[in-house]
Amino acid sequence: MTHKTSGHWAPGTPVLWRYRDNASPRFHICRPVTVVQDTDELLAVWLAPGTECVKPVLADGTSVHEEPLATRYTRPRTVHRERWFGTGVLKLARPGEPWSVWLFWEPGWKFRSWYVNLEEPRTRWAGGVDSQDHFLDISVRPDRSWRWHDEDEFAQAQRDGLMSARQARAVRSAGRAAVESIEAWGPPYTSGWEEWRPDPEWNVPFLPVDWDRTPAHVSP
Protein backbone atom coordinates (compact mmCIF):
# COMPACT_ATOMS: atom_id res chain seq x y z
CA MET A 1 0.00 0.00 0.00
CA THR A 2 1.23 3.51 -0.82
CA HIS A 3 1.01 6.06 1.98
CA LYS A 4 1.11 9.80 1.37
CA THR A 5 1.18 12.77 3.70
CA SER A 6 0.30 16.20 2.35
CA GLY A 7 0.82 14.98 -1.22
CA HIS A 8 4.14 13.33 -0.37
CA TRP A 9 5.04 9.73 0.30
CA ALA A 10 5.84 8.90 3.90
CA PRO A 11 9.24 7.41 4.75
CA GLY A 12 9.13 3.63 4.38
CA THR A 13 6.62 3.67 1.51
CA PRO A 14 7.42 1.23 -1.32
CA VAL A 15 7.22 2.79 -4.80
CA LEU A 16 8.48 1.97 -8.31
CA TRP A 17 11.33 3.79 -10.05
CA ARG A 18 10.91 3.13 -13.79
CA TYR A 19 12.54 4.05 -17.11
CA ARG A 20 10.93 3.92 -20.54
CA ASP A 21 12.69 2.31 -23.49
CA ASN A 22 14.40 4.96 -25.63
CA ALA A 23 12.94 3.41 -28.78
CA SER A 24 9.34 3.00 -27.59
CA PRO A 25 6.88 4.09 -24.87
CA ARG A 26 7.29 0.75 -23.10
CA PHE A 27 9.01 0.47 -19.74
CA HIS A 28 12.17 -1.61 -19.78
CA ILE A 29 13.63 -0.84 -16.35
CA CYS A 30 11.73 -1.09 -13.08
CA ARG A 31 13.21 -0.98 -9.57
CA PRO A 32 11.05 -1.28 -6.46
CA VAL A 33 12.45 1.17 -3.92
CA THR A 34 11.62 2.48 -0.45
CA VAL A 35 11.00 6.17 0.17
CA VAL A 36 13.57 7.73 2.51
CA GLN A 37 12.43 11.34 2.19
CA ASP A 38 9.87 13.08 0.02
CA THR A 39 9.49 16.87 0.12
CA ASP A 40 8.93 19.70 -2.33
CA GLU A 41 12.72 19.94 -2.70
CA LEU A 42 13.87 16.31 -2.78
CA LEU A 43 12.83 12.71 -3.32
CA ALA A 44 15.23 10.20 -1.77
CA VAL A 45 14.70 6.45 -2.20
CA TRP A 46 16.59 3.31 -1.23
CA LEU A 47 17.19 0.38 -3.60
CA ALA A 48 17.89 -2.49 -1.23
CA PRO A 49 20.23 -5.42 -1.96
CA GLY A 50 18.33 -8.44 -3.24
CA THR A 51 15.44 -6.42 -4.69
CA GLU A 52 13.82 -8.09 -7.70
CA CYS A 53 14.06 -5.65 -10.62
CA VAL A 54 13.39 -5.59 -14.35
CA LYS A 55 16.17 -4.81 -16.82
CA PRO A 56 16.55 -4.96 -20.61
CA VAL A 57 18.39 -7.87 -22.26
CA LEU A 58 18.81 -8.98 -25.85
CA ALA A 59 16.05 -11.22 -27.19
CA ASP A 60 18.19 -14.32 -26.62
CA GLY A 61 18.77 -13.33 -22.99
CA THR A 62 22.31 -12.03 -23.50
CA SER A 63 23.36 -9.00 -21.48
CA VAL A 64 23.02 -5.76 -23.45
CA HIS A 65 26.59 -4.79 -22.56
CA GLU A 66 27.98 -7.97 -24.12
CA GLU A 67 26.70 -6.81 -27.50
CA PRO A 68 29.14 -4.71 -29.61
CA LEU A 69 28.35 -1.02 -29.43
CA ALA A 70 27.58 -0.76 -33.16
CA THR A 71 24.56 -3.08 -32.82
CA ARG A 72 23.75 -2.67 -29.13
CA TYR A 73 20.69 -0.51 -29.75
CA THR A 74 19.42 -2.15 -32.94
CA ARG A 75 19.30 -5.82 -31.89
CA PRO A 76 15.85 -7.04 -30.70
CA ARG A 77 15.37 -6.83 -26.96
CA THR A 78 13.17 -8.14 -24.20
CA VAL A 79 13.14 -7.70 -20.43
CA HIS A 80 14.39 -9.94 -17.64
CA ARG A 81 13.59 -10.13 -13.94
CA GLU A 82 16.67 -10.26 -11.75
CA ARG A 83 17.73 -9.55 -8.16
CA TRP A 84 19.77 -6.40 -7.52
CA PHE A 85 23.27 -7.67 -6.90
CA GLY A 86 25.73 -6.15 -4.45
CA THR A 87 25.27 -3.25 -2.07
CA GLY A 88 22.20 -1.03 -2.20
CA VAL A 89 21.85 2.36 -3.85
CA LEU A 90 20.47 5.61 -2.45
CA LYS A 91 18.87 7.73 -5.18
CA LEU A 92 18.34 11.48 -4.78
CA ALA A 93 16.19 13.48 -7.20
CA ARG A 94 15.07 17.10 -7.18
CA PRO A 95 11.75 17.84 -8.93
CA GLY A 96 12.22 19.10 -12.48
CA GLU A 97 15.98 18.47 -12.54
CA PRO A 98 17.19 16.45 -15.58
CA TRP A 99 19.35 14.10 -13.53
CA SER A 100 19.33 12.09 -10.32
CA VAL A 101 22.30 11.50 -8.01
CA TRP A 102 22.99 7.98 -6.78
CA LEU A 103 25.20 7.02 -3.83
CA PHE A 104 27.21 3.80 -3.85
CA TRP A 105 28.97 2.06 -0.98
CA GLU A 106 31.50 -0.76 -0.77
CA PRO A 107 30.66 -3.71 1.51
CA GLY A 108 30.79 -2.61 5.13
CA TRP A 109 29.29 0.80 4.28
CA LYS A 110 32.54 2.33 3.04
CA PHE A 111 31.35 5.19 0.82
CA ARG A 112 32.58 4.82 -2.75
CA SER A 113 31.10 7.51 -4.99
CA TRP A 114 28.21 9.54 -6.30
CA TYR A 115 26.83 8.83 -9.77
CA VAL A 116 24.96 11.51 -11.71
CA ASN A 117 22.45 9.81 -14.01
CA LEU A 118 21.31 12.20 -16.74
CA GLU A 119 17.65 11.54 -17.42
CA GLU A 120 14.30 13.07 -18.27
CA PRO A 121 12.81 14.91 -15.26
CA ARG A 122 10.75 12.32 -13.44
CA THR A 123 6.97 12.16 -13.70
CA ARG A 124 5.20 11.20 -10.50
CA TRP A 125 2.17 8.95 -10.35
CA ALA A 126 0.40 7.13 -7.54
CA GLY A 127 2.81 4.19 -7.55
CA GLY A 128 6.16 5.84 -8.19
CA VAL A 129 8.15 7.90 -10.69
CA ASP A 130 8.84 7.42 -14.40
CA SER A 131 11.69 8.74 -16.52
CA GLN A 132 13.84 8.00 -19.56
CA ASP A 133 17.59 7.51 -19.39
CA HIS A 134 19.75 9.87 -21.46
CA PHE A 135 22.81 7.57 -21.73
CA LEU A 136 25.38 10.11 -20.53
CA ASP A 137 26.49 9.97 -16.88
CA ILE A 138 29.05 11.44 -14.49
CA SER A 139 30.82 9.80 -11.55
CA VAL A 140 32.01 11.87 -8.59
CA ARG A 141 34.63 10.72 -6.08
CA PRO A 142 34.85 11.82 -2.44
CA ASP A 143 37.93 13.90 -3.34
CA ARG A 144 35.63 15.98 -5.61
CA SER A 145 37.16 14.63 -8.83
CA TRP A 146 34.67 13.70 -11.53
CA ARG A 147 34.55 12.19 -15.00
CA TRP A 148 32.09 11.52 -17.80
CA HIS A 149 30.75 8.02 -18.43
CA ASP A 150 29.19 6.33 -21.46
CA GLU A 151 30.04 9.03 -24.00
CA ASP A 152 30.39 6.23 -26.57
CA GLU A 153 26.85 5.02 -25.87
CA PHE A 154 25.56 8.60 -26.00
CA ALA A 155 27.11 9.01 -29.48
CA GLN A 156 25.84 5.62 -30.68
CA ALA A 157 22.30 6.39 -29.51
CA GLN A 158 22.35 9.48 -31.71
CA ARG A 159 23.64 7.50 -34.70
CA ASP A 160 20.87 4.95 -34.21
CA GLY A 161 18.15 7.60 -34.08
CA LEU A 162 17.29 7.12 -30.40
CA MET A 163 18.05 10.77 -29.69
CA SER A 164 17.65 13.78 -31.98
CA ALA A 165 20.37 16.40 -32.37
CA ARG A 166 18.18 18.84 -30.48
CA GLN A 167 17.68 16.44 -27.58
CA ALA A 168 21.39 15.61 -27.53
CA ARG A 169 22.21 19.31 -27.19
CA ALA A 170 19.75 19.56 -24.29
CA VAL A 171 21.35 16.55 -22.59
CA ARG A 172 24.82 18.05 -23.02
CA SER A 173 23.53 21.28 -21.53
CA ALA A 174 22.09 19.36 -18.58
CA GLY A 175 25.42 17.63 -18.17
CA ARG A 176 27.24 20.96 -18.03
CA ALA A 177 24.78 22.16 -15.41
CA ALA A 178 25.40 19.00 -13.40
CA VAL A 179 29.16 19.61 -13.60
CA GLU A 180 28.66 23.17 -12.38
CA SER A 181 26.74 21.74 -9.42
CA ILE A 182 29.59 19.34 -8.70
CA GLU A 183 32.25 22.02 -8.92
CA ALA A 184 30.22 24.34 -6.68
CA TRP A 185 30.24 21.47 -4.14
CA GLY A 186 26.89 22.17 -2.53
CA PRO A 187 23.94 19.80 -1.94
CA PRO A 188 23.67 16.87 -2.24
CA TYR A 189 27.45 16.42 -1.98
CA THR A 190 27.63 18.33 1.30
CA SER A 191 24.38 17.05 2.78
CA GLY A 192 25.87 14.12 4.68
CA TRP A 193 23.94 11.43 2.82
CA GLU A 194 27.07 9.25 2.84
CA GLU A 195 26.39 8.65 6.54
CA TRP A 196 22.74 7.68 5.99
CA ARG A 197 21.67 4.10 6.73
CA PRO A 198 18.36 2.34 5.96
CA ASP A 199 15.86 1.58 8.69
CA PRO A 200 16.45 -2.06 9.69
CA GLU A 201 12.66 -2.48 10.05
CA TRP A 202 12.10 -1.89 6.33
CA ASN A 203 11.18 -4.90 4.21
CA VAL A 204 12.62 -5.35 0.73
CA PRO A 205 9.80 -4.15 -1.58
CA PHE A 206 8.43 -6.65 -4.08
CA LEU A 207 8.13 -6.35 -7.84
CA PRO A 208 4.41 -6.40 -8.73
CA VAL A 209 3.08 -8.47 -11.62
CA ASP A 210 1.80 -5.30 -13.29
CA TRP A 211 5.10 -3.41 -12.87
CA ASP A 212 4.74 -1.97 -16.39
CA ARG A 213 1.20 -0.68 -15.98
CA THR A 214 0.25 2.69 -17.44
CA PRO A 215 -0.51 5.17 -14.65
CA ALA A 216 -4.15 6.20 -14.55
CA HIS A 217 -3.15 9.65 -13.31
CA VAL A 218 0.22 11.34 -13.51
CA SER A 219 1.50 14.65 -12.24
CA PRO A 220 4.72 16.63 -12.69
Side-chain angles (χ1 to χ4, degrees):
M1 182 180 293
T2 300
H3 304 279
K4 283 196 175 187
T5 56
S6 303
H8 296 116
W9 290 302
T13 302
V15 297
L16 301 179
W17 185 292
R18 309 190 296 183
Y19 289 98
R20 293 187 304 279
D21 188 342
N22 297 84
S24 77
R26 297 176 303 172
F27 294 103
H28 70 158
I29 294 174
C30 181
R31 297 167 181 160
V33 294
T34 302
V35 173
V36 174
Q37 176 181 311
D38 185 24
T39 67
D40 290 340
E41 291 76 35
L42 182 72
L43 173 63
V45 303
W46 170 242
L47 174 57
T51 301
E52 187 178 24
C53 302
V54 171
K55 71 173 188 177
V57 295
L58 299 184
D60 64 1
T62 303
S63 168
V64 169
H65 292 286
E66 291 182 22
E67 179 70 15
L69 185 62
T71 51
R72 187 171 299 172
Y73 299 118
T74 55
R75 288 282 304 277
R77 293 188 178 194
T78 185
V79 294
H80 176 67
R81 298 166 76 111
E82 184 175 278
R83 299 281 174 182
W84 185 264
F85 178 77
T87 58
V89 181
L90 179 66
K91 298 187 177 191
L92 310 175
R94 295 173 58 184
E97 205 161 53
W99 66 79
S100 56
V101 179
W102 305 356
L103 284 78
F104 289 88
W105 288 265
E106 302 288 356
W109 287 104
K110 179 182 178 182
F111 181 66
R112 187 176 78 199
S113 62
W114 295 272
Y115 194 80
V116 180
N117 196 73
L118 295 172
E119 60 192 40
E120 180 182 285
R122 294 139 305 280
T123 300
R124 294 174 66 110
W125 56 287
V129 293
D130 296 340
S131 182
Q132 186 176 64
D133 185 75
H134 285 163
F135 301 98
L136 197 59
D137 306 301
I138 308 167
S139 66
V140 187
R141 307 293 294 185
D143 64 4
R144 304 192 187 187
S145 63
W146 60 270
R147 70 182 182 93
W148 295 103
H149 285 265
D150 302 329
E151 291 187 278
D152 56 345
E153 294 189 349
F154 181 62
Q156 188 65 44
Q158 294 171 66
R159 288 192 289 270
D160 290 335
L162 298 181
M163 181 174 291
S164 67
R166 180 178 180 180
Q167 186 180 20
R169 287 193 298 270
V171 173
R172 275 291 184 189
S173 178
R176 288 192 294 270
V179 168
E180 289 177 4
S181 174
I182 295 165
E183 293 182 335
W185 207 248
Y189 309 105
T190 57
S191 301
W193 283 108
E194 316 92 273
E195 306 303 321
W196 175 85
R197 301 292 183 266
D199 187 329
E201 297 296 318
W202 287 347
N203 294 318
V204 175
F206 69 92
L207 179 68
V209 174
D210 59 348
W211 62 268
D212 58 347
R213 64 191 181 276
T214 300
H217 301 285
V218 297
S219 62

